[in-house]
Amino acid sequence: AAAEIAALTDRIEELDEDVGRWEKDTKAATEVREKEAADYMATSVDFGESLDALDGAILVLKKKSANLPQAQEALLQVSSLKMVPESSKKALLAFLQQPAVEEMPDEMLSYEAPEAHGYEFQSGGVVDMLEKLKDQFAKQKYDMDREELTAKNAYEMMAQQLADNIENAKHEISKKTALRAQTQEAKADMEGEKAQTEAD
């Protein structure tokens, strides 16, 4: 009986250590996951704002009736975004520093004076650059969304596994603790009977 009690005690202590370790692992994994999720959200917002600004700038530049201040404002907004590479910011600023034209050329003017197409032609290069940036950002956001989903699922599976391990260990601890108490009681009863018999 003493050996059985000792074996039960050892197993209970081992399970207690496991539970403690799994609880620490769960806490650490949760902290990491929360930080990853916060980083993802911040970056996702940046991508969303960047994509919106690019859409707006492309729309303004493609509109024949857009005026220069509108175009400048849209391009300045794009060039101030964190996600836009430095080379693109320089190209946008160079485009913005060109001599001012009051209005973007009307389509009718281009038939009469080919040089009036100058601004539109130059803005065409900027539109191409903006569309490439938009495609690049959309792909990066898509990839990032997929990575976030994968990380979230992996965390949830690991957290569930740890929770199951903890639950099972606590159940086993409870059973072994009850069995140890019964064994100790039976041992005490036997020792008491033995002492009584020897006294008689």
Side-chain angles (χ1 to χ4, degrees):
E4 188 183 348
I5 291 168
L8 286 167
T9 300
D10 288 347
R11 181 64 183 144
I12 290 166
E13 287 171 1
E14 185 184 317
L15 288 166
D16 274 333
E17 280 178 28
D18 288 344
V19 167
R21 191 177 63 251
W22 290 328
E23 285 173 343
K24 279 183 192 155
D25 289 350
T26 301
K27 185 175 185 276
T30 301
E31 286 170 4
V32 168
R33 182 69 208 118
E34 285 169 354
K35 185 182 178 331
E36 285 175 351
D39 290 348
Y40 162 77
M41 284 306 297
T43 308
S44 184
V45 166
D46 285 347
F47 271 124
E49 288 171 356
S50 298
L51 288 166
D52 288 347
L54 286 167
D55 279 338
I58 290 167
L59 196 67
V60 166
L61 288 173
K62 281 184 169 178
K63 270 198 319 194
K64 303 283 187 233
S65 62
N67 60 25
L68 189 61
Q70 251 186 323
Q72 286 176 328
E73 188 180 320
L75 293 176
L76 278 171
Q77 186 182 357
V78 170
S79 68
S80 70
L81 296 168
K82 277 194 279 188
M83 310 295 277
V84 174
E86 207 50 49
S87 58
S88 299
K89 288 181 182 186
K90 284 178 182 166
L92 289 173
L93 293 174
F95 176 74
L96 287 169
Q97 289 167 358
Q98 293 174 18
V101 176
E102 275 312 304
E103 292 280 324
M104 281 196 187
D106 189 283
E107 229 174 329
M108 296 301 288
L109 291 176
S110 63
Y111 297 118
E112 297 160 16
E115 65 274 8
H117 246 332
Y119 191 91
E120 192 176 314
F121 171 74
Q122 290 167 333
S123 72
V126 172
V127 170
D128 288 346
M129 180 183 70
L130 295 178
E131 285 177 337
K132 282 183 187 144
L133 274 177
K134 183 182 165 188
D135 291 345
Q136 177 189 333
F137 288 174
K139 184 184 179 336
Q140 287 175 321
K141 183 171 184 337
Y142 174 79
D143 291 345
M144 186 186 71
D145 290 346
R146 269 201 2 240
E147 287 169 18
E148 166 63 9
L149 195 59
T150 302
K152 184 178 176 208
N153 288 340
Y155 163 76
E156 287 171 356
M157 285 172 58
M158 183 191 59
Q160 186 60 56
Q161 181 65 55
L162 288 168
D164 291 347
N165 289 353
I166 290 167
E167 186 182 339
N168 292 338
K170 284 182 174 179
H171 180 68
E172 191 178 341
I173 288 169
S174 171
K175 283 172 60 177
K176 298 239 183 281
T177 302
L179 181 59
R180 180 177 66 182
Q182 287 173 348
T183 307
Q184 286 170 330
E185 195 178 313
K187 181 179 175 238
D189 288 348
M190 282 181 7
E191 286 169 355
E193 284 173 22
K194 184 180 173 192
Q196 187 65 43
T197 305
E198 286 171 2
D200 292 345

